Amino acid sequence: AQKITQTQPGMFVQEKEAVTLDCTYDTSDQSYGLFWYKQPSSGEMIFLIYQGSYDEQNATEGRYSLNFQKARKSANLVISASQLGDSAMYFCAMREVLTGGGNKLTFGTGTQLKVEL
Amino acid sequence: GAVVSQHPSRVICKSGTSVKIECRSLDFQATTMFWYRQFPKQSLMLMATSNEGSKATYEQGVEKDKFLINHASLTLSTLTVTSAHPEDSSFYICSARYGTGTYGYTFGSGTRLTVV
């Protein structure tokens, strides 16, 4: 079974600074996908960024970038120029392909990020 | 694009009653939907996967008779919490797979269920 590990329960960052949220994963699959979602206090899950296991370049989406180190099985999220609105819970997730052709997302335990003035 | 609408956003019900939560894909066809449960300050735990027109696949430990899932059309999946008890109080959120090839997952806005 796949496993996602987020070792930082909480992180603080000052406004306008960059912050890295850690994520490591464990899988025996060759083909997999890694996702980051943001969950503000209102509860909705907001998709941030995706990295495919065969993608050679690190994914970027605006202020978000994914530091993908395949050999280390890590997929850290980097948020540049933090804003107060970035304060939220952040989840790393992996797409798991099931026998029979189905799929599902497995989530890490999340990191609560707080951006301070 | 790829919007999932989830209702209700909040519901309070009495012990022993049933509650239905709906998730609708607004601008795409969702052949597969996922139902998650989330306790405060915790991660999302997958409860079941529903495929349009077939029975849902439940994760280990999830009571099928308590959490009834119906996915009768390509745009609607429902979760019914039957004979609810206070321990069923939680945040429930649905998700649908969208796209082909490199596909993604979009989420509903969640339902906060309180059983009193």
Side-chain angles (χ1 to χ4, degrees):
Chain A
Q2 297 185 336
K3 186 178 178 182
I4 298 285
T5 302
Q6 293 181 254
T7 58
Q8 306 154 313
M11 288 282 286
F12 289 89
V13 65
Q14 285 204 314
E15 196 180 21
K16 300 180 185 177
E17 297 292 311
V19 63
T20 298
L21 307 184
D22 295 341
C23 173
T24 58
Y25 59 91
D26 185 23
T27 182
S28 56
D29 294 340
Q30 296 300 309
S31 176
Y32 51 89
L34 296 157
F35 299 77
W36 276 93
Y37 287 89
K38 171 184 178 182
Q39 187 180 42
S41 57
S42 53
E44 75 265 34
M45 295 288 283
I46 302 168
F47 167 73
L48 297 178
I49 198 165
Y50 167 82
Q51 181 85 41
S53 58
Y54 293 120
D55 294 340
E56 294 186 351
Q57 295 203 341
N58 287 342
T60 60
E61 289 285 350
R63 294 187 299 111
Y64 305 107
S65 60
L66 200 151
N67 184 359
F68 182 46
Q69 298 192 35
K70 196 170 182 177
R72 294 185 178 183
K73 294 188 175 180
S74 74
N76 298 339
L77 175 71
V78 180
I79 305 174
S80 62
S82 297
Q83 303 171 356
L84 294 177
D86 294 335
S87 294
M89 181 73 94
Y90 289 80
F91 289 100
C92 179
M94 174 185 286
R95 179 180 61 226
E96 176 180 0
V97 178
L98 306 173
T99 53
N103 64 89
K104 68 177 185 180
L105 280 182
T106 300
F107 285 86
T109 50
T111 296
Q112 182 72 49
L113 176 67
K114 184 164 176 59
V115 181
E116 301 174 314
L117 289 169
Chain B
V3 177
V4 171
S5 175
Q6 183 171 347
H7 293 282
S9 57
R10 289 180 182 273
V11 59
I12 300 173
C13 70
K14 291 184 178 180
S15 278
T17 62
S18 296
V19 173
K20 180 184 283 188
I21 301 169
E22 291 190 350
C23 273
R24 293 181 184 274
S25 56
L26 299 184
D27 50 2
F28 69 104
Q29 292 184 332
T31 54
T32 303
M33 277 201 176
F34 306 88
W35 287 93
Y36 294 86
R37 182 173 183 177
Q38 185 181 30
F39 290 107
K41 306 291 186 186
Q42 294 190 22
S43 187
L44 280 71
M45 298 303 297
L46 181 65
M47 298 173 66
T49 302
S50 73
N51 291 295
E52 183 266 337
S54 61
K55 288 183 178 180
T57 302
Y58 289 81
E59 296 296 300
Q60 195 170 12
V62 177
E63 298 177 61
K64 300 178 184 181
D65 295 333
K66 168 166 274 297
F67 300 101
L68 299 179
I69 291 171
N70 184 281
H71 193 164
S73 78
L74 287 171
T75 59
L76 176 64
S77 177
T78 61
L79 167 67
T80 301
V81 183
T82 63
S83 186
H85 291 285
E87 58 264 31
D88 298 325
S89 297
S90 190
F91 188 69
Y92 294 88
I93 191 165
C94 65
S95 173
R97 171 182 155 173
Y98 68 94
T100 57
T102 303
Y103 50 86
Y105 302 84
T106 186
F107 286 79
S109 52
T111 297
R112 196 162 301 280
L113 170 64
T114 304
V115 185
V116 297

Short mmCIF file of all heavy atoms in Angstrom, two decimals, chain A residues 28-79:
data_model
loop_
_atom_site.label_atom_id
_atom_site.label_comp_id
_atom_site.label_asym_id
_atom_site.label_seq_id
_atom_site.Cartn_x
_atom_site.Cartn_y
_atom_site.Cartn_z
N SER A 28 5.64 1.30 -4.66
CA SER A 28 6.40 0.40 -5.53
C SER A 28 5.97 0.56 -6.99
O SER A 28 6.52 -0.09 -7.88
CB SER A 28 6.20 -1.05 -5.09
OG SER A 28 4.83 -1.36 -5.06
N ASP A 29 4.99 1.44 -7.23
CA ASP A 29 4.53 1.68 -8.59
C ASP A 29 5.53 2.54 -9.35
O ASP A 29 6.23 3.38 -8.76
CB ASP A 29 3.18 2.40 -8.59
CG ASP A 29 2.08 1.55 -8.01
OD1 ASP A 29 2.26 0.30 -7.97
OD2 ASP A 29 1.04 2.10 -7.61
N GLN A 30 5.61 2.34 -10.65
CA GLN A 30 6.48 3.16 -11.49
C GLN A 30 5.74 4.41 -11.94
O GLN A 30 6.34 5.46 -12.14
CB GLN A 30 6.94 2.36 -12.71
CG GLN A 30 7.82 1.15 -12.36
CD GLN A 30 9.08 1.57 -11.62
OE1 GLN A 30 9.81 2.46 -12.07
NE2 GLN A 30 9.34 0.95 -10.47
N SER A 31 4.43 4.26 -12.11
CA SER A 31 3.62 5.37 -12.57
C SER A 31 2.72 5.83 -11.43
O SER A 31 1.92 5.06 -10.91
CB SER A 31 2.77 4.94 -13.78
OG SER A 31 1.90 5.99 -14.18
N TYR A 32 2.87 7.09 -11.05
CA TYR A 32 2.05 7.62 -9.97
C TYR A 32 1.97 9.14 -10.13
O TYR A 32 2.70 9.74 -10.92
CB TYR A 32 2.61 7.26 -8.59
CG TYR A 32 4.08 7.57 -8.40
CD1 TYR A 32 4.50 8.81 -7.93
CD2 TYR A 32 5.05 6.62 -8.69
CE1 TYR A 32 5.84 9.10 -7.77
CE2 TYR A 32 6.40 6.90 -8.54
CZ TYR A 32 6.79 8.13 -8.06
OH TYR A 32 8.12 8.42 -7.90
N GLY A 33 1.05 9.73 -9.40
CA GLY A 33 0.88 11.17 -9.46
C GLY A 33 0.84 11.74 -8.05
O GLY A 33 0.30 11.13 -7.13
N LEU A 34 1.39 12.91 -7.90
CA LEU A 34 1.44 13.58 -6.60
C LEU A 34 0.71 14.91 -6.68
O LEU A 34 0.86 15.65 -7.65
CB LEU A 34 2.90 13.80 -6.18
CG LEU A 34 3.68 12.50 -5.98
CD1 LEU A 34 5.17 12.73 -6.13
CD2 LEU A 34 3.37 11.89 -4.62
N PHE A 35 -0.09 15.16 -5.68
CA PHE A 35 -0.93 16.36 -5.64
C PHE A 35 -0.70 17.11 -4.34
O PHE A 35 -0.41 16.51 -3.31
CB PHE A 35 -2.42 15.98 -5.70
CG PHE A 35 -2.85 15.23 -6.93
CD1 PHE A 35 -2.56 13.89 -7.08
CD2 PHE A 35 -3.57 15.87 -7.92
CE1 PHE A 35 -2.98 13.18 -8.21
CE2 PHE A 35 -3.99 15.18 -9.05
CZ PHE A 35 -3.70 13.84 -9.19
N TRP A 36 -0.90 18.41 -4.41
CA TRP A 36 -0.97 19.23 -3.20
C TRP A 36 -2.31 19.97 -3.22
O TRP A 36 -2.71 20.54 -4.25
CB TRP A 36 0.17 20.24 -3.13
CG TRP A 36 1.43 19.70 -2.57
CD1 TRP A 36 2.48 19.15 -3.26
CD2 TRP A 36 1.80 19.66 -1.19
NE1 TRP A 36 3.46 18.77 -2.40
CE2 TRP A 36 3.09 19.07 -1.11
CE3 TRP A 36 1.19 20.07 0.00
CZ2 TRP A 36 3.76 18.87 0.10
CZ3 TRP A 36 1.85 19.88 1.19
CH2 TRP A 36 3.13 19.29 1.24
N TYR A 37 -2.96 19.94 -2.05
CA TYR A 37 -4.22 20.65 -1.88
C TYR A 37 -4.12 21.59 -0.67
O TYR A 37 -3.43 21.30 0.30
CB TYR A 37 -5.38 19.67 -1.63
CG TYR A 37 -5.80 18.89 -2.86
CD1 TYR A 37 -5.20 17.69 -3.17
CD2 TYR A 37 -6.81 19.37 -3.69
CE1 TYR A 37 -5.59 16.96 -4.29
CE2 TYR A 37 -7.20 18.65 -4.82
CZ TYR A 37 -6.58 17.45 -5.10
OH TYR A 37 -6.97 16.75 -6.22
N LYS A 38 -4.86 22.67 -0.77
CA LYS A 38 -4.96 23.63 0.32
C LYS A 38 -6.37 23.54 0.90
O LYS A 38 -7.35 23.52 0.16
CB LYS A 38 -4.71 25.04 -0.22
CG LYS A 38 -4.98 26.18 0.76
CD LYS A 38 -4.78 27.53 0.03
CE LYS A 38 -5.09 28.71 0.95
NZ LYS A 38 -4.94 30.00 0.23
N GLN A 39 -6.47 23.48 2.22
CA GLN A 39 -7.79 23.45 2.86
C GLN A 39 -7.88 24.58 3.88
O GLN A 39 -7.35 24.48 4.98
CB GLN A 39 -8.04 22.10 3.54
CG GLN A 39 -9.47 21.98 4.07
CD GLN A 39 -9.74 20.65 4.75
OE1 GLN A 39 -8.91 20.13 5.50
NE2 GLN A 39 -10.91 20.08 4.49
N PRO A 40 -8.53 25.67 3.50
CA PRO A 40 -8.73 26.76 4.47
C PRO A 40 -9.74 26.32 5.54
O PRO A 40 -10.31 25.24 5.47
CB PRO A 40 -9.29 27.90 3.61
CG PRO A 40 -9.73 27.29 2.32
CD PRO A 40 -9.09 25.94 2.19
N SER A 41 -9.95 27.19 6.51
CA SER A 41 -10.82 26.83 7.63
C SER A 41 -12.26 26.56 7.18
O SER A 41 -13.01 25.87 7.89
CB SER A 41 -10.80 27.93 8.69
OG SER A 41 -11.18 29.16 8.13
N SER A 42 -12.65 27.06 6.05
CA SER A 42 -14.00 26.81 5.53
C SER A 42 -14.20 25.37 5.07
O SER A 42 -15.33 24.90 4.94
CB SER A 42 -14.30 27.75 4.37
OG SER A 42 -13.27 27.66 3.40
N GLY A 43 -13.11 24.66 4.83
CA GLY A 43 -13.21 23.23 4.57
C GLY A 43 -13.04 22.76 3.14
O GLY A 43 -12.75 21.59 2.92
N GLU A 44 -13.19 23.65 2.17
CA GLU A 44 -13.08 23.16 0.80
C GLU A 44 -11.63 22.79 0.48
O GLU A 44 -10.70 23.29 1.08
CB GLU A 44 -13.60 24.19 -0.21
CG GLU A 44 -12.70 25.38 -0.46
CD GLU A 44 -13.05 26.56 0.40
OE1 GLU A 44 -13.49 26.36 1.55
OE2 GLU A 44 -12.89 27.69 -0.09
N MET A 45 -11.47 21.87 -0.43
CA MET A 45 -10.15 21.41 -0.87
C MET A 45 -9.81 22.10 -2.18
O MET A 45 -10.51 21.93 -3.18
CB MET A 45 -10.15 19.89 -1.06
CG MET A 45 -10.37 19.13 0.22
SD MET A 45 -8.95 19.19 1.30
CE MET A 45 -7.87 18.01 0.49
N ILE A 46 -8.73 22.86 -2.16
CA ILE A 46 -8.34 23.63 -3.33
C ILE A 46 -7.10 23.00 -3.95
O ILE A 46 -6.06 22.89 -3.29
CB ILE A 46 -8.06 25.10 -2.94
CG1 ILE A 46 -9.30 25.72 -2.29
CG2 ILE A 46 -7.62 25.91 -4.16
CD1 ILE A 46 -9.04 27.04 -1.62
N PHE A 47 -7.19 22.58 -5.20
CA PHE A 47 -6.06 21.99 -5.89
C PHE A 47 -4.99 23.05 -6.13
O PHE A 47 -5.29 24.15 -6.59
CB PHE A 47 -6.52 21.39 -7.22
CG PHE A 47 -5.40 21.03 -8.15
CD1 PHE A 47 -4.60 19.92 -7.88
CD2 PHE A 47 -5.11 21.79 -9.26
CE1 PHE A 47 -3.55 19.59 -8.73
CE2 PHE A 47 -4.08 21.46 -10.12
CZ PHE A 47 -3.30 20.36 -9.84
N LEU A 48 -3.75 22.71 -5.84
CA LEU A 48 -2.65 23.65 -6.04
C LEU A 48 -1.75 23.25 -7.19
O LEU A 48 -1.44 24.07 -8.06
CB LEU A 48 -1.81 23.76 -4.76
CG LEU A 48 -2.51 24.32 -3.51
CD1 LEU A 48 -1.52 24.31 -2.35
CD2 LEU A 48 -3.05 25.69 -3.77
N ILE A 49 -1.28 21.99 -7.17
CA ILE A 49 -0.24 21.62 -8.12
C ILE A 49 -0.18 20.11 -8.24
O ILE A 49 -0.54 19.38 -7.31
CB ILE A 49 1.12 22.21 -7.64
CG1 ILE A 49 2.14 22.25 -8.77
CG2 ILE A 49 1.64 21.49 -6.41
CD1 ILE A 49 3.34 23.15 -8.44
N TYR A 50 0.27 19.65 -9.41
CA TYR A 50 0.37 18.22 -9.69
C TYR A 50 1.74 17.90 -10.30
O TYR A 50 2.28 18.68 -11.10
CB TYR A 50 -0.72 17.81 -10.68
CG TYR A 50 -0.54 16.44 -11.27
CD1 TYR A 50 -0.94 15.31 -10.57
CD2 TYR A 50 0.06 16.26 -12.52
CE1 TYR A 50 -0.76 14.04 -11.09
CE2 TYR A 50 0.24 14.99 -13.05
CZ TYR A 50 -0.18 13.89 -12.34
OH TYR A 50 0.00 12.64 -12.86
N GLN A 51 2.28 16.74 -9.91
CA GLN A 51 3.53 16.24 -10.48
C GLN A 51 3.36 14.79 -10.86
O GLN A 51 3.01 13.96 -10.01
CB GLN A 51 4.68 16.37 -9.45
CG GLN A 51 6.02 15.91 -9.94
CD GLN A 51 6.78 16.98 -10.72
OE1 GLN A 51 6.78 18.14 -10.35
NE2 GLN A 51 7.45 16.58 -11.79
N GLY A 52 3.60 14.46 -12.10
CA GLY A 52 3.57 13.07 -12.54
C GLY A 52 4.92 12.43 -12.34
O GLY A 52 5.96 13.10 -12.42
N SER A 53 4.93 11.14 -12.10
CA SER A 53 6.19 10.46 -11.80
C SER A 53 7.15 10.47 -12.97
O SER A 53 8.37 10.36 -12.78
CB SER A 53 5.91 9.02 -11.37
OG SER A 53 5.21 8.32 -12.38
N TYR A 54 6.65 10.62 -14.17
CA TYR A 54 7.52 10.65 -15.35
C TYR A 54 7.86 12.07 -15.81
O TYR A 54 8.59 12.25 -16.77
CB TYR A 54 6.86 9.88 -16.50
CG TYR A 54 6.76 8.40 -16.23
CD1 TYR A 54 5.52 7.76 -16.20
CD2 TYR A 54 7.89 7.62 -16.00
CE1 TYR A 54 5.42 6.39 -15.96
CE2 TYR A 54 7.81 6.27 -15.75
CZ TYR A 54 6.56 5.66 -15.74
OH TYR A 54 6.47 4.30 -15.50
N ASP A 55 7.31 13.05 -15.11
CA ASP A 55 7.61 14.44 -15.49
C ASP A 55 9.05 14.75 -15.13
O ASP A 55 9.46 14.57 -13.97
CB ASP A 55 6.67 15.41 -14.76
CG ASP A 55 5.23 15.25 -15.19
OD1 ASP A 55 5.00 14.68 -16.29
OD2 ASP A 55 4.33 15.68 -14.45
N GLU A 56 9.79 15.23 -16.09
CA GLU A 56 11.21 15.48 -15.83
C GLU A 56 11.45 16.83 -15.16
O GLU A 56 12.45 17.02 -14.47
CB GLU A 56 11.99 15.40 -17.15
CG GLU A 56 11.99 13.99 -17.73
CD GLU A 56 12.88 13.87 -18.95
OE1 GLU A 56 13.36 14.90 -19.44
OE2 GLU A 56 13.08 12.73 -19.41
N GLN A 57 10.52 17.75 -15.38
CA GLN A 57 10.69 19.07 -14.78
C GLN A 57 9.78 19.22 -13.57
O GLN A 57 8.67 18.67 -13.54
CB GLN A 57 10.36 20.15 -15.81
CG GLN A 57 11.34 20.17 -16.98
CD GLN A 57 11.36 21.50 -17.67
OE1 GLN A 57 10.43 22.29 -17.53
NE2 GLN A 57 12.41 21.76 -18.42
N ASN A 58 10.23 19.99 -12.61
CA ASN A 58 9.40 20.27 -11.45
C ASN A 58 8.20 21.11 -11.87
O ASN A 58 8.32 22.05 -12.65
CB ASN A 58 10.21 21.03 -10.39
CG ASN A 58 11.20 20.13 -9.69
OD1 ASN A 58 11.09 18.91 -9.73
ND2 ASN A 58 12.19 20.73 -9.05
N ALA A 59 7.04 20.77 -11.30
CA ALA A 59 5.83 21.51 -11.64
C ALA A 59 5.84 22.88 -10.97
O ALA A 59 6.37 23.04 -9.85
CB ALA A 59 4.60 20.73 -11.17
N THR A 60 5.28 23.85 -11.67
CA THR A 60 5.11 25.19 -11.09
C THR A 60 3.73 25.71 -11.47
O THR A 60 3.23 25.44 -12.57
CB THR A 60 6.17 26.18 -11.61
OG1 THR A 60 6.05 26.29 -13.03
CG2 THR A 60 7.58 25.72 -11.25
N GLU A 61 3.14 26.44 -10.53
CA GLU A 61 1.83 27.08 -10.76
C GLU A 61 1.85 28.39 -9.99
O GLU A 61 1.59 28.43 -8.80
CB GLU A 61 0.68 26.20 -10.25
CG GLU A 61 0.39 24.96 -11.04
CD GLU A 61 -0.32 25.22 -12.35
OE1 GLU A 61 -0.77 26.36 -12.57
OE2 GLU A 61 -0.44 24.28 -13.16
N GLY A 62 2.20 29.46 -10.67
CA GLY A 62 2.22 30.74 -10.00
C GLY A 62 3.23 30.77 -8.87
O GLY A 62 4.42 30.50 -9.06
N ARG A 63 2.76 31.04 -7.64
CA ARG A 63 3.66 31.09 -6.49
C ARG A 63 3.98 29.72 -5.92
O ARG A 63 4.76 29.61 -4.96
CB ARG A 63 3.04 31.97 -5.40
CG ARG A 63 2.92 33.43 -5.76
CD ARG A 63 2.44 34.28 -4.58
NE ARG A 63 1.14 33.91 -4.09
CZ ARG A 63 0.93 33.33 -2.90
NH1 ARG A 63 1.95 33.06 -2.10
NH2 ARG A 63 -0.30 33.03 -2.52
N TYR A 64 3.37 28.70 -6.48
CA TYR A 64 3.60 27.33 -5.99
C TYR A 64 4.56 26.59 -6.91
O TYR A 64 4.43 26.65 -8.13
CB TYR A 64 2.28 26.56 -5.92
CG TYR A 64 1.20 27.23 -5.10
CD1 TYR A 64 0.10 27.83 -5.72
CD2 TYR A 64 1.29 27.27 -3.72
CE1 TYR A 64 -0.89 28.45 -4.97
CE2 TYR A 64 0.30 27.88 -2.97
CZ TYR A 64 -0.77 28.48 -3.60
OH TYR A 64 -1.75 29.09 -2.86
N SER A 65 5.48 25.89 -6.32
CA SER A 65 6.34 25.00 -7.09
C SER A 65 6.53 23.73 -6.29
O SER A 65 6.42 23.72 -5.06
CB SER A 65 7.68 25.66 -7.41
OG SER A 65 8.37 26.00 -6.23
N LEU A 66 6.79 22.66 -7.01
CA LEU A 66 6.95 21.37 -6.38
C LEU A 66 8.39 20.93 -6.57
O LEU A 66 8.85 20.81 -7.70
CB LEU A 66 5.96 20.37 -6.99
CG LEU A 66 5.64 19.13 -6.16
CD1 LEU A 66 4.24 18.63 -6.47
CD2 LEU A 66 6.65 18.04 -6.42
N ASN A 67 9.08 20.70 -5.49
CA ASN A 67 10.46 20.23 -5.54
C ASN A 67 10.42 18.70 -5.53
O ASN A 67 10.35 18.07 -4.47
CB ASN A 67 11.23 20.78 -4.34
CG ASN A 67 12.70 20.39 -4.40
OD1 ASN A 67 13.14 19.69 -5.33
ND2 ASN A 67 13.48 20.84 -3.43
N PHE A 68 10.45 18.11 -6.71
CA PHE A 68 10.28 16.68 -6.88
C PHE A 68 11.65 16.01 -6.95
O PHE A 68 12.44 16.26 -7.87
CB PHE A 68 9.50 16.40 -8.16
CG PHE A 68 9.21 14.96 -8.44
CD1 PHE A 68 8.73 14.13 -7.45
CD2 PHE A 68 9.39 14.43 -9.72
CE1 PHE A 68 8.44 12.80 -7.72
CE2 PHE A 68 9.10 13.10 -10.00
CZ PHE A 68 8.62 12.28 -9.00
N GLN A 69 11.94 15.18 -5.96
CA GLN A 69 13.19 14.41 -5.95
C GLN A 69 12.81 12.93 -5.92
O GLN A 69 12.57 12.35 -4.85
CB GLN A 69 14.03 14.81 -4.74
CG GLN A 69 14.43 16.28 -4.77
CD GLN A 69 15.48 16.63 -3.75
OE1 GLN A 69 16.38 15.84 -3.45
NE2 GLN A 69 15.38 17.83 -3.19
N LYS A 70 12.77 12.37 -7.11
CA LYS A 70 12.24 11.02 -7.27
C LYS A 70 13.05 9.99 -6.50
O LYS A 70 12.50 9.08 -5.88
CB LYS A 70 12.20 10.68 -8.76
CG LYS A 70 11.35 9.48 -9.12
CD LYS A 70 11.20 9.39 -10.63
CE LYS A 70 10.32 8.23 -11.03
NZ LYS A 70 10.12 8.19 -12.50
N ALA A 71 14.38 10.09 -6.56
CA ALA A 71 15.22 9.09 -5.89
C ALA A 71 15.00 9.13 -4.38
O ALA A 71 15.07 8.10 -3.71
CB ALA A 71 16.68 9.35 -6.23
N ARG A 72 14.73 10.29 -3.86
CA ARG A 72 14.49 10.43 -2.43
C ARG A 72 13.02 10.23 -2.08
O ARG A 72 12.64 10.28 -0.91
CB ARG A 72 14.91 11.81 -1.94
CG ARG A 72 16.40 12.06 -2.02
CD ARG A 72 16.75 13.42 -1.41
NE ARG A 72 18.19 13.66 -1.42
CZ ARG A 72 18.76 14.73 -0.90
NH1 ARG A 72 18.03 15.64 -0.30
NH2 ARG A 72 20.07 14.89 -0.96
N LYS A 73 12.19 10.09 -3.09
CA LYS A 73 10.75 9.96 -2.91
C LYS A 73 10.21 11.11 -2.08
O LYS A 73 9.51 10.92 -1.07
CB LYS A 73 10.40 8.60 -2.28
CG LYS A 73 10.71 7.42 -3.20
CD LYS A 73 10.18 6.12 -2.67
CE LYS A 73 10.42 5.00 -3.69
NZ LYS A 73 9.93 3.68 -3.22
N SER A 74 10.56 12.29 -2.52
CA SER A 74 10.01 13.46 -1.85
C SER A 74 9.37 14.41 -2.86
O SER A 74 9.81 14.48 -4.02
CB SER A 74 11.09 14.19 -1.04
OG SER A 74 11.97 14.89 -1.88
N ALA A 75 8.36 15.13 -2.41
CA ALA A 75 7.62 16.04 -3.28
C ALA A 75 7.23 17.25 -2.45
O ALA A 75 6.07 17.44 -2.10
CB ALA A 75 6.39 15.35 -3.85
N ASN A 76 8.20 18.07 -2.13
CA ASN A 76 7.97 19.20 -1.24
C ASN A 76 7.32 20.36 -1.98
O ASN A 76 7.67 20.67 -3.12
CB ASN A 76 9.28 19.67 -0.62
CG ASN A 76 9.93 18.60 0.23
OD1 ASN A 76 9.26 17.67 0.68
ND2 ASN A 76 11.22 18.72 0.43
N LEU A 77 6.41 21.03 -1.31
CA LEU A 77 5.74 22.19 -1.88
C LEU A 77 6.46 23.45 -1.42
O LEU A 77 6.71 23.62 -0.22
CB LEU A 77 4.27 22.25 -1.42
CG LEU A 77 3.48 23.49 -1.86
CD1 LEU A 77 3.20 23.43 -3.36
CD2 LEU A 77 2.16 23.59 -1.08
N VAL A 78 6.77 24.31 -2.37
CA VAL A 78 7.40 25.59 -2.05
C VAL A 78 6.40 26.70 -2.38
O VAL A 78 5.91 26.77 -3.51
CB VAL A 78 8.71 25.80 -2.83
CG1 VAL A 78 9.32 27.15 -2.47
CG2 VAL A 78 9.69 24.67 -2.55
N ILE A 79 6.11 27.51 -1.40
CA ILE A 79 5.24 28.68 -1.61
C ILE A 79 6.14 29.91 -1.52
O ILE A 79 6.78 30.16 -0.50
CB ILE A 79 4.12 28.77 -0.57
CG1 ILE A 79 3.31 27.47 -0.52
CG2 ILE A 79 3.21 29.95 -0.86
CD1 ILE A 79 2.27 27.43 0.60
#
